[in-house]
Amino acid sequence: LLATGAEPSLRVGGQLGAHHRILGRLASTQPLLSGYQGALLEHALSLPHERHELLLAWAYAEFREHSLERYDELADVLLASLHERLAPNDRLWTKLLLQMPRLPRTVLELLRSDIASAASPRLTLGLTTLRDLALQRDAWRPACLELLLELCTAGSAPLRAPSIRLVVSMAAGEGVSQAVPAGTSPHISPYLPISPHI
């Protein structure tokens, strides 16, 4: 099932998605992080751009069939492995975070590490990923905005500048002011546009 030679013909025939769903469903029937699951993960990560939909199919099968505890444990490994494997500016990382059925809380620590320093090669991607999660994943909106606003108010100067630009651009669009419930952050008001109704 993991033989790579069949993938081109499956892609041409429009059957690759079904193949990924079968592999993901099979993986979800195996013991967590078993030999088969490890082999499937390495198979997907060896060509992540071609096989990221396999990771998603597997994640959705786990989410449907098992407890949240098991899902989160697997998602921790899938996402940490992908994060390590991808280039620092690879937007596939953001795409997967937006498409996963649920994100484990450990993702926040990965995002923190990406933006921990102005010298981080992942800084730009980390900031834009926080923006996209804040705008597109409701459950993650408060945590992502709080982290961005921490950088705006308490980060070093090289971190503050891009963070402030990002938050201002979100407010100028239909971002922060529409996305954040009142009271989410005591620091948010300086970055929001003034409402014409106030």
Side-chain angles (χ1 to χ4, degrees):
L1 285 174
L2 298 184
T4 59
E7 286 182 332
S9 60
L10 289 170
R11 185 176 290 108
V12 170
Q15 298 177 317
L16 190 59
H19 181 66
H20 287 163
R21 289 190 292 274
I22 290 169
L23 292 177
R25 182 64 184 274
L26 178 59
S28 73
T29 67
Q30 304 301 304
L32 187 64
L33 305 178
S34 63
Y36 176 78
Q37 288 197 346
L40 186 64
L41 177 59
E42 185 54 39
H43 174 74
L45 293 179
S46 65
L47 290 171
H49 283 269
E50 287 80 0
R51 296 173 182 157
H52 67 275
E53 291 183 359
L54 171 55
L55 291 176
L56 285 171
W58 181 8
Y60 273 90
E62 290 280 346
F63 186 73
R64 286 192 301 268
E65 301 295 332
H66 296 288
S67 67
L68 291 181
E69 289 77 13
R70 169 170 161 140
Y71 169 84
D72 282 352
E73 188 173 349
L74 178 71
D76 281 345
V77 174
L78 295 185
L79 292 172
S81 300
L82 183 70
H83 184 265
E84 181 179 349
R85 193 70 62 97
L86 293 176
N89 60 349
D90 196 328
R91 289 281 299 172
L92 180 60
W93 168 242
T94 309
K95 181 178 181 178
L96 263 290
L97 293 185
L98 292 173
Q99 292 181 340
M100 290 283 285
R102 168 185 163 94
L103 296 181
R105 300 308 296 178
T106 50
V107 167
L108 194 59
E109 296 311 309
L110 291 175
L111 293 170
R112 280 186 179 277
S113 71
D114 289 347
I115 60 173
S117 165
S120 169
R122 295 183 180 272
L123 176 61
T124 299
L125 181 64
L127 289 172
T128 57
T129 298
L130 284 169
R131 176 200 63 198
D132 291 349
L133 288 173
L135 295 178
Q136 298 183 51
R137 293 200 75 126
D138 292 352
W140 277 74
R141 187 171 294 151
C144 291
L145 285 168
E146 288 291 343
L147 188 49
L148 283 171
L149 290 167
E150 278 181 33
L151 296 176
C152 290
T153 58
S156 65
L159 283 175
R160 281 200 304 272
S163 303
I164 290 172
R165 284 196 299 271
L166 185 66
V167 172
V168 168
S169 72
M170 291 167 69
E174 296 181 357
V176 178
S177 58
Q178 297 298 319
V180 184
T184 294
S185 169
H187 307 296
I188 199 168
S189 56
Y191 304 102
L192 293 178
I194 297 173
S195 170
H197 303 295
I198 294 177

